[in-house]
């Protein structure tokens, strides 16, 4: 007895030619049913229950940041503005992590697990924009004093 997969066609060579409704050109056109592709997993999207707390936290944080800067509510305005900036940044980080979890990426960056490396120019652009926003925010809060 041989060790290995069984080849029933090797024992009966005529079994391969009796394939039923197959012709030399392929399957008969009358017997072919249309194929339907069905995705077994639903599309991964951010749901409303994931987005609602992020949007509310970002709104509250941006209002806390904007009102003291716009109207200068006295000595505590800088503290409230920095707290609002902190809450806004937390909401942005929470949103980015939720988006990353469902498979979204930043424009210009590769998908997670794709094995591709990110372009250093795109990363440098993101770092420069974030640094400029932080510098402008700190400069504006420092001007309140």
């Amino acid at each position: 007895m041989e060790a290995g997969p069984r080849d029933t066609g090797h024992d009966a060579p005529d079994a391969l030619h009796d394939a039923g409704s197959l012709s030399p050109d392929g399957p008969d056109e009358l017997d072919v049913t249309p194929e339907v592709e069905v995705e077994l997993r639903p599309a991964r999207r951010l749901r409303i229950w994931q987005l609602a707390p992020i949007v509310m936290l970002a709104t509250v944080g941006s209002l806390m940041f904007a009102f003291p800067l716009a109207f200068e509510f006295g000595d505590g305005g800088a503290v409230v503005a920095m707290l609002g900036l902190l809450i806004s940044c937390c909401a942005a980080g929470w949103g980015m992590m939720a988006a990353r979890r469902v498979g979204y990426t930043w424009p210009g960056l590769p998908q997670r697990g794709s094995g591709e490396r990110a372009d250093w120019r795109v990363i440098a652009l993101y770092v420069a924009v974030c640094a400029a926003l932080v510098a402008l925010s700190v400069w504006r809060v420092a001007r309140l004093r």
Side-chain angles (χ1 to χ4, degrees):
M1 182 180 233
E2 292 181 17
R6 295 184 182 162
D7 188 7
T8 57
H10 181 60
D11 297 334
D14 295 332
L16 293 177
H17 299 294
D18 299 329
S21 65
L22 290 178
S23 65
D25 299 36
D28 294 333
E29 294 298 325
L30 300 175
D31 295 338
V32 175
T33 59
E35 295 181 12
V36 177
E37 293 185 23
V38 177
E39 181 67 33
L40 296 178
R41 294 180 295 175
R44 296 184 76 179
R45 286 178 271 160
L46 287 173
R47 306 283 184 226
I48 190 69
W49 61 269
Q50 291 170 317
L51 286 176
I54 296 168
V55 170
M56 289 187 328
L57 193 62
T59 303
V60 167
S62 61
L63 288 175
M64 285 178 69
F65 180 62
F67 275 104
L69 295 179
F71 302 114
E72 298 186 30
F73 287 142
D75 294 335
V79 174
V80 174
M82 288 305 287
L83 181 61
L85 180 64
L86 177 67
I87 291 173
S88 296
C89 290
C90 289
W94 191 6
M96 286 189 304
M97 292 308 293
R100 184 173 181 229
R101 189 161 195 159
V102 297
Y104 295 143
T105 61
W106 286 68
L109 297 180
Q111 287 279 350
R112 187 172 75 171
S114 67
E116 298 177 27
R117 293 183 55 111
D119 188 14
W120 67 270
R121 293 173 291 208
V122 175
I123 294 174
L125 177 69
Y126 284 133
V127 168
V129 168
C130 289
L133 290 175
V134 168
L136 287 172
S137 300
V138 170
W139 176 66
R140 179 63 177 120
V141 170
R143 280 191 48 204
L144 289 176
R145 296 219 158 209

